[in-house]
Amino acid sequence: PVHISQLMDEDPSIFCASGYNDNGFESNTGDWNRVLRGQHFMALGWMLSRRIFDETKDFWKMNEIWDVAFAIGMSQDRDGFIRECIFP
């Protein structure tokens, strides 16, 4: 099995991993081996890799409201690529 942190290390387009799914109904989440990707804030219960944190830490310092910093950091990387969160 691949661990989520391993996916985050291998795929630079992954901004975060969340343990929560707004649509986490049984019909959507029955497969423990599947993750989904989304370009929106995944609610509480998420993690960043050290690489992503180091890349975006200045946004966190500039914004008192943490979800604003989250959205700015997620919007795109230094090369202009959109990043996504993965979730169950």
Side-chain angles (χ1 to χ4, degrees), residues 43-71:
L44 302 177
W46 47 268
M47 71 176 174
L48 300 175
S49 67
R50 170 55 83 181
R51 175 183 52 83
I52 292 290
F53 177 76
D54 287 343
E55 226 178 89
T56 60
K57 64 185 171 192
D58 291 336
F59 294 128
W60 301 90
K61 292 177 187 173
M62 293 174 6
N63 293 285
E64 291 181 20
I65 304 172
W66 66 270
D67 57 343
V68 171
F70 190 97

Side-chain angles (χ1 to χ4, degrees), residues 31-51:
D31 185 352
W32 288 91
N33 295 309
R34 183 181 85 164
V35 294
L36 304 171
R37 296 176 73 112
Q39 295 178 1
H40 61 283
F41 176 60
M42 298 298 158
L44 302 177
W46 47 268
M47 71 176 174
L48 300 175
S49 67
R50 170 55 83 181
R51 175 183 52 83

